[in-house]
Amino acid sequence: MWSIFDFFDTIFRVNDQVKQALQEIIREKTYSKNEIIQAIGSRCRTIYFVKSGGARIFYYKDGTDITEHFAFDNDLIVRAESLFTGNPTSKGIQAIDATRMLAIDSEKLFHLYDQHHDLERLFRLIFEREYVNTVKRLESLQFKSAKERYLELLDTTDFVQKIPLKYIASYLGITPVSLSRIRAGID
């Protein structure tokens, strides 16, 4: 069975004392399909890792629901702009399907940094990795076609068939009709 510590070890190995301290602040949470995990307008105080299922970060622009980010098995999902500033955000997190997550209270985590510098380093590396992924996503939107972006998403997960097409289309920056054409062209 997948362990969050197996994932952490691929980034930076921490000792058993650090793992024990972290284990004490990790909670498993279950969300049903379409359940809002963090509402738009709230402050992000939790770092989530998807254990199974899928989730998305979304926002509304001119009344249109836009998907900014998907997270699947073993992925991190967090509204970083709110987590690090403490300000409410105009983005929310929603479960796409029945989803199990490991939730880490950020305040408790940040307090552990003072006692366990390896833990601080681990999460710095995790957040750096996510920052690089965000930059890659922006570059993909700038330099790749919608078809190329769709194929990248297909390579990322087997979960695509469970994602409503409107979420995929908004994530790709295209209309559902354009997505249907792309899908028809690669089947």
Side-chain angles (χ1 to χ4, degrees), residues 131-165:
Y131 173 75
V132 169
N133 289 339
T134 299
V135 170
K136 286 180 180 178
R137 165 101 170 105
L138 291 172
E139 289 175 346
S140 178
L141 286 168
Q142 291 172 316
F143 301 116
K144 293 184 179 177
S145 70
K147 181 179 180 179
E148 290 170 319
R149 294 192 306 272
Y150 180 66
L151 292 172
E152 281 180 347
L153 181 61
L154 290 177
D155 286 342
T156 304
T157 182
D158 295 332
F159 199 82
V160 172
Q161 60 274 23
K162 293 185 178 187
I163 304 171
L165 293 181

PDB file of all heavy atoms in Angstrom, residues 131-165:
ATOM      1  N   TYR A 131       6.066  24.419  -7.583  1.00  0.00           N
ATOM      2  CA  TYR A 131       6.273  25.685  -8.299  1.00  0.00           C
ATOM      3  C   TYR A 131       6.750  25.408  -9.729  1.00  0.00           C
ATOM      4  O   TYR A 131       6.242  26.001 -10.689  1.00  0.00           O
ATOM      5  CB  TYR A 131       7.285  26.567  -7.564  1.00  0.00           C
ATOM      6  CG  TYR A 131       7.641  27.800  -8.351  1.00  0.00           C
ATOM      7  CD1 TYR A 131       6.748  28.871  -8.440  1.00  0.00           C
ATOM      8  CD2 TYR A 131       8.851  27.895  -9.025  1.00  0.00           C
ATOM      9  CE1 TYR A 131       7.059  29.988  -9.190  1.00  0.00           C
ATOM     10  CE2 TYR A 131       9.168  29.010  -9.777  1.00  0.00           C
ATOM     11  CZ  TYR A 131       8.269  30.058  -9.854  1.00  0.00           C
ATOM     12  OH  TYR A 131       8.581  31.164 -10.605  1.00  0.00           O
ATOM     13  N   VAL A 132       7.689  24.503  -9.877  1.00  0.00           N
ATOM     14  CA  VAL A 132       8.181  24.135 -11.206  1.00  0.00           C
ATOM     15  C   VAL A 132       7.044  23.553 -12.047  1.00  0.00           C
ATOM     16  O   VAL A 132       6.906  23.876 -13.230  1.00  0.00           O
ATOM     17  CB  VAL A 132       9.376  23.156 -11.112  1.00  0.00           C
ATOM     18  CG1 VAL A 132       9.726  22.566 -12.469  1.00  0.00           C
ATOM     19  CG2 VAL A 132      10.585  23.869 -10.509  1.00  0.00           C
ATOM     20  N   ASN A 133       6.201  22.720 -11.450  1.00  0.00           N
ATOM     21  CA  ASN A 133       5.048  22.173 -12.175  1.00  0.00           C
ATOM     22  C   ASN A 133       4.102  23.277 -12.632  1.00  0.00           C
ATOM     23  O   ASN A 133       3.544  23.209 -13.732  1.00  0.00           O
ATOM     24  CB  ASN A 133       4.299  21.150 -11.319  1.00  0.00           C
ATOM     25  CG  ASN A 133       5.074  19.862 -11.147  1.00  0.00           C
ATOM     26  OD1 ASN A 133       5.963  19.544 -11.932  1.00  0.00           O
ATOM     27  ND2 ASN A 133       4.754  19.121 -10.107  1.00  0.00           N
ATOM     28  N   THR A 134       3.920  24.295 -11.795  1.00  0.00           N
ATOM     29  CA  THR A 134       3.069  25.424 -12.168  1.00  0.00           C
ATOM     30  C   THR A 134       3.667  26.184 -13.344  1.00  0.00           C
ATOM     31  O   THR A 134       2.952  26.549 -14.290  1.00  0.00           O
ATOM     32  CB  THR A 134       2.862  26.370 -10.968  1.00  0.00           C
ATOM     33  OG1 THR A 134       2.224  25.631  -9.917  1.00  0.00           O
ATOM     34  CG2 THR A 134       2.013  27.573 -11.340  1.00  0.00           C
ATOM     35  N   VAL A 135       4.958  26.403 -13.323  1.00  0.00           N
ATOM     36  CA  VAL A 135       5.625  27.090 -14.440  1.00  0.00           C
ATOM     37  C   VAL A 135       5.493  26.254 -15.715  1.00  0.00           C
ATOM     38  O   VAL A 135       5.198  26.794 -16.794  1.00  0.00           O
ATOM     39  CB  VAL A 135       7.106  27.389 -14.109  1.00  0.00           C
ATOM     40  CG1 VAL A 135       7.861  27.863 -15.340  1.00  0.00           C
ATOM     41  CG2 VAL A 135       7.198  28.420 -12.996  1.00  0.00           C
ATOM     42  N   LYS A 136       5.676  24.956 -15.606  1.00  0.00           N
ATOM     43  CA  LYS A 136       5.516  24.080 -16.776  1.00  0.00           C
ATOM     44  C   LYS A 136       4.091  24.152 -17.321  1.00  0.00           C
ATOM     45  O   LYS A 136       3.885  24.143 -18.532  1.00  0.00           O
ATOM     46  CB  LYS A 136       5.876  22.631 -16.421  1.00  0.00           C
ATOM     47  CG  LYS A 136       7.354  22.389 -16.262  1.00  0.00           C
ATOM     48  CD  LYS A 136       7.611  20.931 -15.904  1.00  0.00           C
ATOM     49  CE  LYS A 136       9.078  20.645 -15.729  1.00  0.00           C
ATOM     50  NZ  LYS A 136       9.325  19.250 -15.333  1.00  0.00           N
ATOM     51  N   ARG A 137       3.118  24.212 -16.430  1.00  0.00           N
ATOM     52  CA  ARG A 137       1.716  24.330 -16.860  1.00  0.00           C
ATOM     53  C   ARG A 137       1.499  25.630 -17.622  1.00  0.00           C
ATOM     54  O   ARG A 137       0.856  25.651 -18.668  1.00  0.00           O
ATOM     55  CB  ARG A 137       0.807  24.250 -15.634  1.00  0.00           C
ATOM     56  CG  ARG A 137      -0.613  24.720 -15.877  1.00  0.00           C
ATOM     57  CD  ARG A 137      -1.584  23.606 -16.072  1.00  0.00           C
ATOM     58  NE  ARG A 137      -2.933  24.130 -16.059  1.00  0.00           N
ATOM     59  CZ  ARG A 137      -3.667  24.268 -17.141  1.00  0.00           C
ATOM     60  NH1 ARG A 137      -3.212  23.924 -18.312  1.00  0.00           N
ATOM     61  NH2 ARG A 137      -4.889  24.752 -17.061  1.00  0.00           N
ATOM     62  N   LEU A 138       2.032  26.729 -17.105  1.00  0.00           N
ATOM     63  CA  LEU A 138       1.900  28.019 -17.796  1.00  0.00           C
ATOM     64  C   LEU A 138       2.582  27.985 -19.160  1.00  0.00           C
ATOM     65  O   LEU A 138       2.037  28.482 -20.156  1.00  0.00           O
ATOM     66  CB  LEU A 138       2.485  29.151 -16.946  1.00  0.00           C
ATOM     67  CG  LEU A 138       1.710  29.501 -15.687  1.00  0.00           C
ATOM     68  CD1 LEU A 138       2.486  30.492 -14.831  1.00  0.00           C
ATOM     69  CD2 LEU A 138       0.337  30.051 -16.023  1.00  0.00           C
ATOM     70  N   GLU A 139       3.764  27.396 -19.213  1.00  0.00           N
ATOM     71  CA  GLU A 139       4.474  27.281 -20.493  1.00  0.00           C
ATOM     72  C   GLU A 139       3.713  26.395 -21.463  1.00  0.00           C
ATOM     73  O   GLU A 139       3.687  26.663 -22.662  1.00  0.00           O
ATOM     74  CB  GLU A 139       5.891  26.755 -20.264  1.00  0.00           C
ATOM     75  CG  GLU A 139       6.790  27.775 -19.606  1.00  0.00           C
ATOM     76  CD  GLU A 139       8.163  27.227 -19.253  1.00  0.00           C
ATOM     77  OE1 GLU A 139       8.369  25.982 -19.268  1.00  0.00           O
ATOM     78  OE2 GLU A 139       9.044  28.052 -18.949  1.00  0.00           O
ATOM     79  N   SER A 140       3.072  25.366 -20.955  1.00  0.00           N
ATOM     80  CA  SER A 140       2.272  24.503 -21.806  1.00  0.00           C
ATOM     81  C   SER A 140       1.122  25.291 -22.429  1.00  0.00           C
ATOM     82  O   SER A 140       0.831  25.157 -23.624  1.00  0.00           O
ATOM     83  CB  SER A 140       1.734  23.328 -20.977  1.00  0.00           C
ATOM     84  OG  SER A 140       0.915  22.491 -21.744  1.00  0.00           O
ATOM     85  N   LEU A 141       0.469  26.128 -21.628  1.00  0.00           N
ATOM     86  CA  LEU A 141      -0.617  26.965 -22.144  1.00  0.00           C
ATOM     87  C   LEU A 141      -0.102  27.960 -23.185  1.00  0.00           C
ATOM     88  O   LEU A 141      -0.790  28.268 -24.157  1.00  0.00           O
ATOM     89  CB  LEU A 141      -1.310  27.713 -21.004  1.00  0.00           C
ATOM     90  CG  LEU A 141      -2.215  26.879 -20.112  1.00  0.00           C
ATOM     91  CD1 LEU A 141      -2.598  27.655 -18.853  1.00  0.00           C
ATOM     92  CD2 LEU A 141      -3.456  26.437 -20.864  1.00  0.00           C
ATOM     93  N   GLN A 142       1.118  28.439 -22.989  1.00  0.00           N
ATOM     94  CA  GLN A 142       1.681  29.428 -23.902  1.00  0.00           C
ATOM     95  C   GLN A 142       2.189  28.815 -25.206  1.00  0.00           C
ATOM     96  O   GLN A 142       2.038  29.414 -26.269  1.00  0.00           O
ATOM     97  CB  GLN A 142       2.858  30.163 -23.231  1.00  0.00           C
ATOM     98  CG  GLN A 142       2.447  31.059 -22.107  1.00  0.00           C
ATOM     99  CD  GLN A 142       3.655  31.602 -21.359  1.00  0.00           C
ATOM    100  OE1 GLN A 142       4.595  30.879 -21.068  1.00  0.00           O
ATOM    101  NE2 GLN A 142       3.624  32.891 -21.053  1.00  0.00           N
ATOM    102  N   PHE A 143       2.796  27.657 -25.138  1.00  0.00           N
ATOM    103  CA  PHE A 143       3.556  27.152 -26.281  1.00  0.00           C
ATOM    104  C   PHE A 143       3.020  25.874 -26.927  1.00  0.00           C
ATOM    105  O   PHE A 143       3.495  25.494 -27.989  1.00  0.00           O
ATOM    106  CB  PHE A 143       5.022  26.911 -25.872  1.00  0.00           C
ATOM    107  CG  PHE A 143       5.693  28.154 -25.366  1.00  0.00           C
ATOM    108  CD1 PHE A 143       6.134  28.226 -24.057  1.00  0.00           C
ATOM    109  CD2 PHE A 143       5.877  29.250 -26.195  1.00  0.00           C
ATOM    110  CE1 PHE A 143       6.761  29.371 -23.577  1.00  0.00           C
ATOM    111  CE2 PHE A 143       6.501  30.398 -25.723  1.00  0.00           C
ATOM    112  CZ  PHE A 143       6.938  30.466 -24.413  1.00  0.00           C
ATOM    113  N   LYS A 144       2.070  25.218 -26.297  1.00  0.00           N
ATOM    114  CA  LYS A 144       1.586  23.954 -26.855  1.00  0.00           C
ATOM    115  C   LYS A 144       0.150  24.089 -27.322  1.00  0.00           C
ATOM    116  O   LYS A 144      -0.627  24.886 -26.786  1.00  0.00           O
ATOM    117  CB  LYS A 144       1.704  22.829 -25.827  1.00  0.00           C
ATOM    118  CG  LYS A 144       3.154  22.505 -25.499  1.00  0.00           C
ATOM    119  CD  LYS A 144       3.277  21.345 -24.583  1.00  0.00           C
ATOM    120  CE  LYS A 144       4.758  21.052 -24.322  1.00  0.00           C
ATOM    121  NZ  LYS A 144       4.930  19.966 -23.388  1.00  0.00           N
ATOM    122  N   SER A 145      -0.201  23.262 -28.283  1.00  0.00           N
ATOM    123  CA  SER A 145      -1.576  23.253 -28.786  1.00  0.00           C
ATOM    124  C   SER A 145      -2.487  22.573 -27.763  1.00  0.00           C
ATOM    125  O   SER A 145      -2.021  21.841 -26.876  1.00  0.00           O
ATOM    126  CB  SER A 145      -1.646  22.502 -30.117  1.00  0.00           C
ATOM    127  OG  SER A 145      -1.432  21.113 -29.894  1.00  0.00           O
ATOM    128  N   ALA A 146      -3.785  22.784 -27.915  1.00  0.00           N
ATOM    129  CA  ALA A 146      -4.750  22.139 -27.028  1.00  0.00           C
ATOM    130  C   ALA A 146      -4.645  20.622 -27.129  1.00  0.00           C
ATOM    131  O   ALA A 146      -4.751  19.919 -26.121  1.00  0.00           O
ATOM    132  CB  ALA A 146      -6.158  22.604 -27.368  1.00  0.00           C
ATOM    133  N   LYS A 147      -4.398  20.120 -28.327  1.00  0.00           N
ATOM    134  CA  LYS A 147      -4.252  18.675 -28.494  1.00  0.00           C
ATOM    135  C   LYS A 147      -3.040  18.162 -27.727  1.00  0.00           C
ATOM    136  O   LYS A 147      -3.115  17.137 -27.041  1.00  0.00           O
ATOM    137  CB  LYS A 147      -4.117  18.317 -29.976  1.00  0.00           C
ATOM    138  CG  LYS A 147      -3.976  16.832 -30.227  1.00  0.00           C
ATOM    139  CD  LYS A 147      -3.879  16.502 -31.701  1.00  0.00           C
ATOM    140  CE  LYS A 147      -3.732  15.002 -31.918  1.00  0.00           C
ATOM    141  NZ  LYS A 147      -3.652  14.671 -33.341  1.00  0.00           N
ATOM    142  N   GLU A 148      -1.920  18.876 -27.810  1.00  0.00           N
ATOM    143  CA  GLU A 148      -0.722  18.472 -27.068  1.00  0.00           C
ATOM    144  C   GLU A 148      -0.973  18.505 -25.561  1.00  0.00           C
ATOM    145  O   GLU A 148      -0.550  17.602 -24.836  1.00  0.00           O
ATOM    146  CB  GLU A 148       0.455  19.390 -27.418  1.00  0.00           C
ATOM    147  CG  GLU A 148       0.988  19.213 -28.820  1.00  0.00           C
ATOM    148  CD  GLU A 148       1.982  20.289 -29.210  1.00  0.00           C
ATOM    149  OE1 GLU A 148       1.770  21.475 -28.878  1.00  0.00           O
ATOM    150  OE2 GLU A 148       2.992  19.935 -29.862  1.00  0.00           O
ATOM    151  N   ARG A 149      -1.689  19.526 -25.097  1.00  0.00           N
ATOM    152  CA  ARG A 149      -1.998  19.624 -23.664  1.00  0.00           C
ATOM    153  C   ARG A 149      -2.925  18.481 -23.230  1.00  0.00           C
ATOM    154  O   ARG A 149      -2.769  17.927 -22.146  1.00  0.00           O
ATOM    155  CB  ARG A 149      -2.615  20.985 -23.336  1.00  0.00           C
ATOM    156  CG  ARG A 149      -1.650  22.138 -23.530  1.00  0.00           C
ATOM    157  CD  ARG A 149      -2.149  23.446 -22.946  1.00  0.00           C
ATOM    158  NE  ARG A 149      -3.452  23.875 -23.388  1.00  0.00           N
ATOM    159  CZ  ARG A 149      -3.709  24.613 -24.461  1.00  0.00           C
ATOM    160  NH1 ARG A 149      -2.719  25.005 -25.241  1.00  0.00           N
ATOM    161  NH2 ARG A 149      -4.945  24.984 -24.748  1.00  0.00           N
ATOM    162  N   TYR A 150      -3.866  18.118 -24.081  1.00  0.00           N
ATOM    163  CA  TYR A 150      -4.766  17.015 -23.773  1.00  0.00           C
ATOM    164  C   TYR A 150      -3.990  15.699 -23.693  1.00  0.00           C
ATOM    165  O   TYR A 150      -4.185  14.904 -22.765  1.00  0.00           O
ATOM    166  CB  TYR A 150      -5.893  16.916 -24.807  1.00  0.00           C
ATOM    167  CG  TYR A 150      -6.853  15.794 -24.523  1.00  0.00           C
ATOM    168  CD1 TYR A 150      -7.668  15.816 -23.391  1.00  0.00           C
ATOM    169  CD2 TYR A 150      -6.959  14.706 -25.366  1.00  0.00           C
ATOM    170  CE1 TYR A 150      -8.546  14.779 -23.117  1.00  0.00           C
ATOM    171  CE2 TYR A 150      -7.836  13.659 -25.100  1.00  0.00           C
ATOM    172  CZ  TYR A 150      -8.629  13.711 -23.972  1.00  0.00           C
ATOM    173  OH  TYR A 150      -9.497  12.682 -23.686  1.00  0.00           O
ATOM    174  N   LEU A 151      -3.091  15.479 -24.639  1.00  0.00           N
ATOM    175  CA  LEU A 151      -2.284  14.254 -24.619  1.00  0.00           C
ATOM    176  C   LEU A 151      -1.405  14.195 -23.371  1.00  0.00           C
ATOM    177  O   LEU A 151      -1.218  13.123 -22.792  1.00  0.00           O
ATOM    178  CB  LEU A 151      -1.448  14.150 -25.894  1.00  0.00           C
ATOM    179  CG  LEU A 151      -2.253  13.905 -27.175  1.00  0.00           C
ATOM    180  CD1 LEU A 151      -1.358  14.023 -28.413  1.00  0.00           C
ATOM    181  CD2 LEU A 151      -2.960  12.558 -27.131  1.00  0.00           C
ATOM    182  N   GLU A 152      -0.883  15.344 -22.940  1.00  0.00           N
ATOM    183  CA  GLU A 152      -0.108  15.393 -21.690  1.00  0.00           C
ATOM    184  C   GLU A 152      -0.974  14.976 -20.501  1.00  0.00           C
ATOM    185  O   GLU A 152      -0.529  14.241 -19.636  1.00  0.00           O
ATOM    186  CB  GLU A 152       0.430  16.804 -21.432  1.00  0.00           C
ATOM    187  CG  GLU A 152       1.645  17.169 -22.228  1.00  0.00           C
ATOM    188  CD  GLU A 152       2.123  18.584 -21.925  1.00  0.00           C
ATOM    189  OE1 GLU A 152       1.389  19.388 -21.293  1.00  0.00           O
ATOM    190  OE2 GLU A 152       3.253  18.904 -22.323  1.00  0.00           O
ATOM    191  N   LEU A 153      -2.213  15.462 -20.477  1.00  0.00           N
ATOM    192  CA  LEU A 153      -3.121  15.093 -19.388  1.00  0.00           C
ATOM    193  C   LEU A 153      -3.385  13.594 -19.408  1.00  0.00           C
ATOM    194  O   LEU A 153      -3.385  12.947 -18.358  1.00  0.00           O
ATOM    195  CB  LEU A 153      -4.437  15.879 -19.504  1.00  0.00           C
ATOM    196  CG  LEU A 153      -5.480  15.619 -18.419  1.00  0.00           C
ATOM    197  CD1 LEU A 153      -4.949  15.981 -17.035  1.00  0.00           C
ATOM    198  CD2 LEU A 153      -6.761  16.403 -18.718  1.00  0.00           C
ATOM    199  N   LEU A 154      -3.585  13.021 -20.592  1.00  0.00           N
ATOM    200  CA  LEU A 154      -3.808  11.581 -20.696  1.00  0.00           C
ATOM    201  C   LEU A 154      -2.609  10.791 -20.175  1.00  0.00           C
ATOM    202  O   LEU A 154      -2.772   9.726 -19.592  1.00  0.00           O
ATOM    203  CB  LEU A 154      -4.087  11.181 -22.153  1.00  0.00           C
ATOM    204  CG  LEU A 154      -5.420  11.629 -22.749  1.00  0.00           C
ATOM    205  CD1 LEU A 154      -5.502  11.215 -24.221  1.00  0.00           C
ATOM    206  CD2 LEU A 154      -6.593  11.082 -21.969  1.00  0.00           C
ATOM    207  N   ASP A 155      -1.401  11.318 -20.393  1.00  0.00           N
ATOM    208  CA  ASP A 155      -0.192  10.656 -19.900  1.00  0.00           C
ATOM    209  C   ASP A 155      -0.053  10.748 -18.388  1.00  0.00           C
ATOM    210  O   ASP A 155       0.650   9.956 -17.772  1.00  0.00           O
ATOM    211  CB  ASP A 155       1.053  11.265 -20.556  1.00  0.00           C
ATOM    212  CG  ASP A 155       1.228  10.846 -22.003  1.00  0.00           C
ATOM    213  OD1 ASP A 155       0.601   9.841 -22.418  1.00  0.00           O
ATOM    214  OD2 ASP A 155       1.972  11.531 -22.722  1.00  0.00           O
ATOM    215  N   THR A 156      -0.712  11.731 -17.790  1.00  0.00           N
ATOM    216  CA  THR A 156      -0.602  11.982 -16.361  1.00  0.00           C
ATOM    217  C   THR A 156      -1.390  10.988 -15.524  1.00  0.00           C
ATOM    218  O   THR A 156      -0.974  10.621 -14.435  1.00  0.00           O
ATOM    219  CB  THR A 156      -1.099  13.413 -16.036  1.00  0.00           C
ATOM    220  OG1 THR A 156      -0.364  14.334 -16.820  1.00  0.00           O
ATOM    221  CG2 THR A 156      -0.948  13.752 -14.582  1.00  0.00           C
ATOM    222  N   THR A 157      -2.548  10.566 -16.031  1.00  0.00           N
ATOM    223  CA  THR A 157      -3.454   9.771 -15.200  1.00  0.00           C
ATOM    224  C   THR A 157      -4.393   8.912 -16.036  1.00  0.00           C
ATOM    225  O   THR A 157      -4.684   9.245 -17.181  1.00  0.00           O
ATOM    226  CB  THR A 157      -4.292  10.690 -14.290  1.00  0.00           C
ATOM    227  OG1 THR A 157      -5.130   9.892 -13.455  1.00  0.00           O
ATOM    228  CG2 THR A 157      -5.146  11.654 -15.087  1.00  0.00           C
ATOM    229  N   ASP A 158      -4.874   7.839 -15.429  1.00  0.00           N
ATOM    230  CA  ASP A 158      -5.926   7.018 -16.031  1.00  0.00           C
ATOM    231  C   ASP A 158      -7.303   7.511 -15.582  1.00  0.00           C
ATOM    232  O   ASP A 158      -8.322   6.945 -15.945  1.00  0.00           O
ATOM    233  CB  ASP A 158      -5.774   5.552 -15.584  1.00  0.00           C
ATOM    234  CG  ASP A 158      -4.487   4.938 -16.091  1.00  0.00           C
ATOM    235  OD1 ASP A 158      -3.997   5.369 -17.140  1.00  0.00           O
ATOM    236  OD2 ASP A 158      -3.985   4.015 -15.420  1.00  0.00           O
ATOM    237  N   PHE A 159      -7.316   8.552 -14.802  1.00  0.00           N
ATOM    238  CA  PHE A 159      -8.527   9.070 -14.174  1.00  0.00           C
ATOM    239  C   PHE A 159      -9.343   9.962 -15.121  1.00  0.00           C
ATOM    240  O   PHE A 159     -10.457  10.345 -14.803  1.00  0.00           O
ATOM    241  CB  PHE A 159      -8.104   9.883 -12.939  1.00  0.00           C
ATOM    242  CG  PHE A 159      -9.181  10.111 -11.927  1.00  0.00           C
ATOM    243  CD1 PHE A 159      -9.495   9.139 -10.995  1.00  0.00           C
ATOM    244  CD2 PHE A 159      -9.869  11.308 -11.891  1.00  0.00           C
ATOM    245  CE1 PHE A 159     -10.485   9.355 -10.044  1.00  0.00           C
ATOM    246  CE2 PHE A 159     -10.858  11.532 -10.945  1.00  0.00           C
ATOM    247  CZ  PHE A 159     -11.160  10.551 -10.028  1.00  0.00           C
ATOM    248  N   VAL A 160      -8.794  10.271 -16.303  1.00  0.00           N
ATOM    249  CA  VAL A 160      -9.410  11.244 -17.208  1.00  0.00           C
ATOM    250  C   VAL A 160     -10.865  10.910 -17.527  1.00  0.00           C
ATOM    251  O   VAL A 160     -11.711  11.808 -17.586  1.00  0.00           O
ATOM    252  CB  VAL A 160      -8.573  11.414 -18.505  1.00  0.00           C
ATOM    253  CG1 VAL A 160      -9.294  12.265 -19.522  1.00  0.00           C
ATOM    254  CG2 VAL A 160      -7.224  12.018 -18.174  1.00  0.00           C
ATOM    255  N   GLN A 161     -11.190   9.644 -17.710  1.00  0.00           N
ATOM    256  CA  GLN A 161     -12.557   9.273 -18.062  1.00  0.00           C
ATOM    257  C   GLN A 161     -13.561   9.609 -16.968  1.00  0.00           C
ATOM    258  O   GLN A 161     -14.756   9.672 -17.227  1.00  0.00           O
ATOM    259  CB  GLN A 161     -12.662   7.801 -18.473  1.00  0.00           C
ATOM    260  CG  GLN A 161     -12.246   6.817 -17.416  1.00  0.00           C
ATOM    261  CD  GLN A 161     -10.749   6.519 -17.393  1.00  0.00           C
ATOM    262  OE1 GLN A 161      -9.929   7.305 -17.853  1.00  0.00           O
ATOM    263  NE2 GLN A 161     -10.385   5.396 -16.825  1.00  0.00           N
ATOM    264  N   LYS A 162     -13.114   9.858 -15.749  1.00  0.00           N
ATOM    265  CA  LYS A 162     -14.008  10.219 -14.650  1.00  0.00           C
ATOM    266  C   LYS A 162     -14.182  11.733 -14.505  1.00  0.00           C
ATOM    267  O   LYS A 162     -14.997  12.181 -13.710  1.00  0.00           O
ATOM    268  CB  LYS A 162     -13.491   9.645 -13.331  1.00  0.00           C
ATOM    269  CG  LYS A 162     -13.539   8.139 -13.273  1.00  0.00           C
ATOM    270  CD  LYS A 162     -13.142   7.651 -11.903  1.00  0.00           C
ATOM    271  CE  LYS A 162     -13.248   6.143 -11.833  1.00  0.00           C
ATOM    272  NZ  LYS A 162     -13.044   5.634 -10.488  1.00  0.00           N
ATOM    273  N   ILE A 163     -13.405  12.503 -15.253  1.00  0.00           N
ATOM    274  CA  ILE A 163     -13.465  13.960 -15.145  1.00  0.00           C
ATOM    275  C   ILE A 163     -14.512  14.492 -16.120  1.00  0.00           C
ATOM    276  O   ILE A 163     -14.456  14.172 -17.304  1.00  0.00           O
ATOM    277  CB  ILE A 163     -12.094  14.597 -15.474  1.00  0.00           C
ATOM    278  CG1 ILE A 163     -10.986  14.035 -14.583  1.00  0.00           C
ATOM    279  CG2 ILE A 163     -12.168  16.119 -15.326  1.00  0.00           C
ATOM    280  CD1 ILE A 163      -9.594  14.462 -15.000  1.00  0.00           C
ATOM    281  N   PRO A 164     -15.451  15.294 -15.638  1.00  0.00           N
ATOM    282  CA  PRO A 164     -16.414  15.892 -16.568  1.00  0.00           C
ATOM    283  C   PRO A 164     -15.694  16.674 -17.677  1.00  0.00           C
ATOM    284  O   PRO A 164     -14.710  17.371 -17.422  1.00  0.00           O
ATOM    285  CB  PRO A 164     -17.238  16.830 -15.676  1.00  0.00           C
ATOM    286  CG  PRO A 164     -17.130  16.222 -14.305  1.00  0.00           C
ATOM    287  CD  PRO A 164     -15.730  15.657 -14.248  1.00  0.00           C
ATOM    288  N   LEU A 165     -16.203  16.539 -18.889  1.00  0.00           N
ATOM    289  CA  LEU A 165     -15.554  17.181 -20.041  1.00  0.00           C
ATOM    290  C   LEU A 165     -15.441  18.685 -19.877  1.00  0.00           C
ATOM    291  O   LEU A 165     -14.459  19.283 -20.324  1.00  0.00           O
ATOM    292  CB  LEU A 165     -16.308  16.836 -21.331  1.00  0.00           C
ATOM    293  CG  LEU A 165     -16.242  15.376 -21.765  1.00  0.00           C
ATOM    294  CD1 LEU A 165     -16.996  15.168 -23.073  1.00  0.00           C
ATOM    295  CD2 LEU A 165     -14.807  14.912 -21.911  1.00  0.00           C
TER     296      LEU A 165
END
